[in-house]
């Protein structure tokens, strides 16, 4: 099995081409093992070269509200009274750990996105 690290864009493209050629490889064969290793290399390269930035916590909340058709009233069990919800949505109050836990559990927003610092409005 001749496998090289992915260091450049041309290495990356070459490896993608090799993966395409191996897509029909059977599991637990030399070709299947090679495919598995190449995919792992590509994932590592892509993670390093194309990192995904987490969304702003407030934008993540607003996106999920829109997606699920929720209003500020629906956030009260997770954040607190309606005025507290508006303070958070208008960046006048930061999220607390209990709020983050509830928003994550109830709305499925990744906790990693919610713990990202927000710029609180003055």
């Amino acid at each position: 099995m001749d496998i090289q690290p992915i260091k450049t864009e041309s290495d990356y493209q070459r490896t993608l081409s090799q993966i395409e050629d191996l897509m029909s490889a059977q599991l637990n064969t030399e070709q299947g093992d090679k495919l598995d290793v190449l995919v792992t290399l590509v994932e590592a390269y892509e993670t390093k070269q194309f990192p995904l930035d987490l969304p702003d916590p407030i934008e993540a909340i607003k996106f999920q509200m829109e997606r699920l058709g929720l209003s500020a009233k629906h956030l009260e069990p997770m954040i607190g009274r309606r005025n507290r919800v508006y303070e958070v949505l208008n960046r006048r109050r930061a999220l607390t750990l209990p709020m983050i836990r509830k928003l994550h559990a109830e709305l499925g927003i990744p906790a990693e996105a919610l713990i990202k610092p927000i710029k609180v409005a003055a």
Side-chain angles (χ1 to χ4, degrees), residues 22-36:
L22 294 169
M23 286 306 287
S24 61
Q26 298 294 318
L27 290 174
N28 300 319
T29 65
E30 186 177 339
Q31 297 295 339
D33 291 345
K34 183 175 182 177
L35 174 63
D36 189 38

Side-chain angles (χ1 to χ4, degrees), residues 2-121:
D2 182 34
I3 297 178
Q4 303 294 321
I6 302 172
K7 297 178 181 176
T8 65
E9 178 67 23
S10 63
D11 292 342
Y12 175 65
Q13 293 301 325
R14 184 190 76 250
T15 306
L16 288 177
S17 178
Q18 290 175 333
I19 288 173
E20 188 175 333
D21 293 341
L22 294 169
M23 286 306 287
S24 61
Q26 298 294 318
L27 290 174
N28 300 319
T29 65
E30 186 177 339
Q31 297 295 339
D33 291 345
K34 183 175 182 177
L35 174 63
D36 189 38
V37 171
L38 291 175
V39 167
T40 302
L41 286 172
V42 165
E43 287 175 348
Y45 179 82
E46 288 176 344
T47 299
K48 184 177 177 183
Q49 295 298 316
F50 314 112
L52 295 176
D53 193 23
L54 292 171
D56 172 79
I58 303 306
E59 293 306 316
I61 294 168
K62 288 179 179 179
F63 174 80
Q64 197 69 333
M65 287 175 66
E66 183 177 327
R67 192 176 81 73
L68 298 174
L70 303 177
S71 67
K73 180 177 172 128
H74 293 103
L75 297 182
E76 289 178 18
M78 295 162 258
I79 295 178
R81 294 184 182 184
R82 192 159 319 170
N83 65 326
R84 171 90 23 103
V85 171
Y86 284 113
E87 288 174 342
V88 168
L89 294 177
N90 292 320
R91 300 175 186 275
R92 289 190 172 83
R93 180 181 294 272
L95 291 169
T96 64
L97 189 55
M99 289 177 194
I100 290 169
R101 287 183 177 138
K102 290 176 185 175
L103 289 164
H104 171 68
E106 298 293 323
L107 299 182
I109 300 171
E112 296 84 11
L114 293 170
I115 62 172
K116 186 176 175 183
I118 63 170
K119 295 178 183 172
V120 178

